[in-house]
Amino acid sequence: MTDTTHTPGADGGDALVTAFNAVGADYIFCSSGSEWAPVWESLARRHRDGLPCPQYLDLTHETVAVGMATGYGLIERRPQGVLLHAAPGLLQGSMAVHGALLAGVPMVVSSSESTTYGDGPGQDPGGQWYRNLSVVGGPHQIAQPFTKWSNEAASVHTLPTMVTRAAELAWRAPAGPAYLNVPLEILLEDWDGREAKPIVKPGSTHSSPEEVDPVAQLIREAKNPVIVTETAGREAGGFEALVAFAEAWRIPVVEPDSAVCGNFPRTHPLHAGSDIGPWMDEADLILLVNCRAPFYPPSRRPSKATVVVIDEVPQRPHIVYQVLFADRYLEGNVANTLRQLAKRAKDLDETAVAERRAAQEARFAAEQTAITQAETKAEGAEGIDPVLVAATLRKLLDGANGIVVDETITHSRVVKRHVQTADPDSYFYVQGGLGQGIAVALGVKLAARERPVVLTIGDGAFTYNPVIQSYDASKAYELPLLIVVFNNRVYKSMNLNHRRFYPEGAAADTGEWLGTDLHRLPRLAAFAEPFGMHTETVDAPEALAPALERALKAVAEGTTAVVDVLVTR
């Protein structure tokens, strides 16, 4: 056995805290459970004795805990610790854990169970484990479908290294949450002080010159190439590398509706909008850069284009069905691959480059004209058009280095098109099921306290969120947000599907549209009033900009502001 330093009185709680400290977690995001008393005691001792430990956040809902870890990880890109309660807490937080998997955010999620049910030696775990909290197979079986890796820590002596392994797996591509079941008896067991080794940033894999050179030649020979990306900006340095690559070769960049973060400046002349449709028949080379699901339906194949996939892990194991139509793969660190391709932008066919530059300039000019026309129309409309809300936000955030977190459905295209974010880490779309947006935005704010963070959210999505618990976290940890609700008083996307599937059905005949009406809800901004937050409800176009200005001022002064905007569609 390796010689170790024994810490008198140390137990599994100390082992877990020490392990999170070793893996470099800045925070432990916790939704309280009765199993975590050993962790709390360890933290109290460390605070008393001045010993290092992650900062503990005491949160009152599982979605808030996981969502904040997700938002923080979107910016910091390093694994954090998340503690949930037993199997029920894991189930409550499972939607957000799945969202973290889709968002590619590393974290180590833990919850507990009992293995003795009061029949073993040592301290009594409590009858609730025997009666209510345990599940057959353990909570790690529950977590398996929506995490990268799921296991149980079966010994206090291996617990720290199990946390290390979970963090290392979570951090490596494709990044995502790992789950560790830590039984309460392990947390209460004496620990011999063997600490986990600190983890370091993962090494990177690179495509070889023998792989990159032929792709560079394909680009050189292409007359009408296009780049399509969903998550290049999620990679460290990916945003900047994509800009350099596109500029070096003068290739247009499409961010389809499936893009989940800012990947390329929407104000850049090479930005080719969000519609891949025109390129399906026109492009002779499609470069899929971190693009997990570029074609819909999946069988919709480009008619003549060669498809090159540039992705560290192109075949995502958590996607049930994935079709890329790849002719070539460039695997390895995406930013590095893009930089290598940019260096090879030599001996270009200047005639072909000039033609596609002129075509893209025309497309970009047409799109800017269409945006201006849409905003002019919105300014003259009766009531508040969603375009006016997004355009007003763009103007107010200009030069502020803001971050937009979006949890709209009906208005997501409007937000992307008219807010027009242009900087790295300036736009994120919430992944997975609705109801996480406020928490994710809080986590983003935790990682970027100096930047204004705006959450755009629909009224339907807002009501799915644990609003009270999110406001509590905002106030307790001084994380001010601007929350802008696009409130059309209806579950619009659901209503559209009903109309699309049954255009001449009974509902169309009688007007009985079920499952969609939200008119009965009270003023959504009012829920923030007990927390002393800034609240406004806006229903007139001329009142919109002043209301948002006041709200941003309140955020700058340190309080969350909620502006409920009654939009016309």
Side-chain angles (χ1 to χ4, degrees):
M1 180 180 292
T2 304
D3 290 334
T4 62
T5 301
H6 181 71
T7 304
D11 58 18
D14 293 291
L16 190 61
V17 171
T18 299
F20 277 129
N21 203 56
V23 302
D26 302 315
Y27 291 93
I28 295 175
F29 299 84
C30 182
S31 176
S32 297
S34 55
E35 66 263 51
W36 298 124
V39 169
W40 298 332
E41 180 64 17
S42 174
L43 289 168
R45 284 198 296 266
R46 287 169 179 273
H47 294 158
R48 179 196 65 192
D49 299 338
L51 298 175
C53 58
Q55 185 173 340
Y56 174 85
L57 299 184
D58 205 354
L59 305 164
T60 54
H61 195 281
E62 292 84 354
T63 298
V64 177
V66 180
M68 286 185 64
T70 299
Y72 189 83
L74 287 171
I75 300 293
E76 294 295 338
R77 301 178 173 89
R78 292 181 288 104
Q80 306 298 311
V82 179
L83 304 182
L84 305 179
H85 175 44
L90 175 63
L91 287 168
Q92 181 72 37
S94 61
M95 180 190 69
V97 178
H98 180 247
L101 180 69
L102 296 178
V105 172
M107 63 181 68
V108 178
V109 181
S110 289
S111 71
S112 198
E113 65 176 335
S114 174
T115 54
T116 65
Y117 309 107
D119 279 342
Q123 299 193 55
D124 180 9
Q128 73 274 18
W129 296 95
Y130 179 53
R131 300 186 186 101
N132 298 318
L133 295 179
S134 296
V135 295
V136 175
H140 49 291
Q141 296 285 355
I142 293 175
Q144 190 172 11
F146 51 84
T147 57
K148 278 189 67 179
W149 177 85
S150 178
N151 214 327
E152 176 186 10
S155 166
V156 71
H157 306 297
T158 59
L159 173 58
T161 303
M162 288 288 276
V163 173
T164 297
R165 174 160 168 73
E168 289 183 332
L169 285 166
W171 205 354
R172 277 155 177 79
Y179 173 79
L180 190 61
N181 168 24
V182 186
L184 177 55
E185 288 82 354
I186 301 298
L187 290 169
L188 291 168
E189 189 175 345
D190 288 342
W191 173 49
D192 62 11
R194 278 179 287 183
E195 297 186 0
K197 181 184 181 298
I199 64 171
V200 296
K201 184 177 180 180
S204 61
T205 58
H206 296 165
S207 294
S208 69
E210 291 78 14
E211 295 168 313
V212 175
D213 286 339
V215 173
Q217 187 60 30
L218 285 174
I219 302 173
R220 193 172 291 111
E221 294 171 355
K223 302 297 182 184
N224 196 20
V226 65
I227 298 165
V228 184
T229 184
E230 292 175 337
T231 62
R234 191 171 63 196
E235 310 299 326
F239 189 101
E240 297 87 344
L242 182 58
V243 172
F245 170 55
E247 289 179 342
W249 292 92
R250 285 83 150 185
I251 304 175
V253 177
V254 174
E255 289 184 286
D257 290 332
S258 52
V260 301
C261 62
N263 303 290
F264 196 82
R266 287 194 164 260
T267 55
H268 196 290
L270 287 173
H271 197 286
S274 60
D275 186 8
I276 193 176
W279 301 93
M280 297 297 286
D281 294 325
E282 297 174 7
D284 57 356
L285 177 65
I286 296 178
L287 300 151
L288 300 179
V289 181
N290 266 30
C291 207
R292 57 185 179 173
F295 312 118
Y296 190 83
S299 59
R300 186 189 183 196
R301 185 170 194 153
S303 61
K304 61 181 180 182
T306 297
V307 177
V308 176
V309 173
I310 301 172
D311 200 319
E312 191 161 7
V313 185
Q315 295 294 339
R316 305 293 169 88
H318 60 267
I319 296 179
V320 175
Y321 184 61
Q322 186 183 20
V323 182
L324 298 174
F325 295 120
D327 296 297
R328 282 184 180 272
Y329 287 105
L330 282 182
E331 300 182 39
N333 181 270
V334 169
N336 179 272
T337 300
L338 295 176
R339 287 192 287 265
Q340 294 304 312
L341 285 169
K343 292 177 181 177
R344 288 162 168 79
K346 302 172 183 177
D347 304 320
L348 306 185
D349 183 338
E350 293 301 332
T351 300
V353 168
E355 289 177 357
R356 67 174 177 253
R357 180 195 293 123
Q360 174 56 26
E361 287 175 353
R363 278 189 294 265
F364 185 75
E367 171 65 2
Q368 297 308 303
T369 298
I371 288 172
T372 300
Q373 290 174 343
E375 293 179 1
T376 300
K377 181 180 179 181
E379 289 172 359
E382 185 175 339
I384 303 177
D385 190 283
V387 169
L388 181 63
V389 184
T392 304
L393 279 173
R394 182 189 71 242
K395 294 169 186 175
L396 292 175
L397 291 174
D398 184 34
N401 194 27
I403 303 173
V404 176
V405 177
D406 187 27
E407 197 178 29
T408 63
I409 298 294
T410 304
H411 303 114
S412 60
R413 294 179 183 178
V414 169
V415 170
K416 288 179 182 178
R417 190 184 192 204
H418 293 276
V419 174
Q420 292 189 314
T421 54
D423 300 310
D425 293 337
S426 60
Y427 170 84
F428 299 101
Y429 190 79
V430 177
Q431 292 294 282
L434 295 174
Q436 310 168 61
I438 306 177
V440 172
L442 288 170
V444 168
K445 183 65 177 180
L446 184 66
R449 288 182 178 269
E450 74 288 353
R451 299 175 66 181
V453 176
V454 179
L455 172 67
T456 52
I457 187 170
D459 52 325
F462 182 89
T463 59
Y464 284 134
N465 274 257
V467 174
I468 301 303
Q469 299 92 330
S470 298
Y471 288 166
D472 171 65
S474 172
K475 192 171 182 68
Y477 297 107
E478 299 179 342
L479 301 170
L481 306 174
L482 170 56
I483 301 173
V484 180
V485 183
F486 285 66
N487 189 346
N488 57 10
R489 282 81 70 201
V490 67
Y491 283 121
K492 189 71 172 181
S493 63
M494 303 176 195
N495 183 253
L496 290 175
N497 271 350
H498 192 160
R499 293 174 184 272
R500 181 164 62 93
F501 296 148
Y502 303 97
E504 299 178 0
D509 183 48
T510 64
E512 186 183 9
W513 301 107
L514 300 177
T516 63
D517 186 15
L518 296 178
H519 280 86
R520 66 181 183 270
L521 294 178
R523 290 191 305 114
L524 299 184
F527 292 98
E529 291 173 0
F531 293 89
M533 295 172 175
H534 182 93
T535 65
E536 304 216 20
T537 301
V538 185
D539 61 2
E542 63 274 10
L544 177 63
L548 292 175
E549 286 177 359
R550 289 190 295 269
L552 280 169
K553 183 174 184 293
V555 170
E557 292 172 351
T559 185
T560 284
V562 183
V563 182
D564 184 15
V565 185
L566 307 185
V567 294
T568 56
R569 59 185 176 93

